[in-house]
Amino acid sequence: MHWHGYLWIGDKAVFDKESVRRPPSAVEPVGSSAPDVVARYREAVAEWRVTQVPPLETAYWLVRPARLVQGTWEDPVGAARWLAERLAQYAPRFAAERERDVHRLARKAERAAETFQRGGDVSCGHYLTRPEFLSVAVVTCSPNRAAPQHPCPLA
């Protein structure tokens, strides 16, 4: 088992657009489907695996391109340290002042390390001072408990 880290900063409006973050339906629209349904399906199929916008479910990071992996760790402590460092790096830009508290961020990193030891994933999201959103995720790989069918992106 190992862990991969992912980071995304982008426009809050893009993050809030759920259709970009949801995988395409397993059922292809039929010929009698409305043109907008067919267009949305084609767009989802084309963009889903390559978009950098965080997926709705954390484990789906594993089906995204390997180039999006920001780091890989063989131990949960290293993965939690990376998460803590990223949160500390961006904390001064957090829109909510209470979320900038260093003690709160340290507790979050401690809980993350415990979650990683149990084979779980951690995803953190923070609105930044501009209309931007920060997403930081660490995903368990080989296998992922929530989605064991997803292969390692670096294999």
Side-chain angles (χ1 to χ4, degrees):
M1 183 179 338
H2 60 276
W3 294 264
H4 296 303
Y6 298 88
L7 184 139
W8 179 83
I9 296 176
D11 189 322
K12 175 189 168 306
V14 172
F15 182 82
D16 289 345
K17 187 178 174 187
E18 193 175 299
S19 63
V20 176
R21 301 176 60 216
R22 178 182 307 283
S25 170
V27 178
E28 190 171 342
V30 295
S32 60
S33 298
D36 62 325
V37 171
V38 173
R40 163 62 190 118
Y41 178 80
R42 288 182 181 152
E43 176 187 1
V45 168
E47 294 182 15
W48 164 245
R49 289 191 185 266
V50 297
T51 184
Q52 295 180 20
V53 180
L56 284 175
E57 295 179 36
T58 305
Y60 276 111
W61 273 117
L62 297 176
V63 301
R64 298 288 175 81
R67 66 181 165 70
L68 298 179
V69 174
Q70 302 284 314
T72 299
W73 304 271
E74 297 296 325
D75 68 292
V77 174
R81 186 178 311 116
W82 179 82
L83 179 71
E85 290 169 357
R86 297 296 74 73
L87 292 174
Q89 176 183 357
Y90 290 98
R93 293 180 55 196
F94 290 173
E97 188 173 330
R98 66 178 171 78
E99 292 182 2
R100 299 177 197 158
D101 179 65
V102 294
H103 301 295
R104 185 174 195 267
L105 294 174
R107 286 191 306 274
K108 188 179 278 196
E110 289 170 12
R111 287 191 307 273
E114 294 168 5
T115 299
F116 300 150
Q117 288 172 349
R118 294 189 308 270
D121 306 327
V122 172
S123 184
C124 301
H126 293 274
Y127 289 98
L128 303 178
T129 50
R130 295 191 312 223
E132 290 185 314
F133 191 81
L134 167 71
S135 173
V136 184
V138 176
V139 184
T140 303
C141 190
S142 297
N144 182 280
R145 203 169 60 190
Q149 74 278 13
H150 295 329
C152 179
L154 299 178

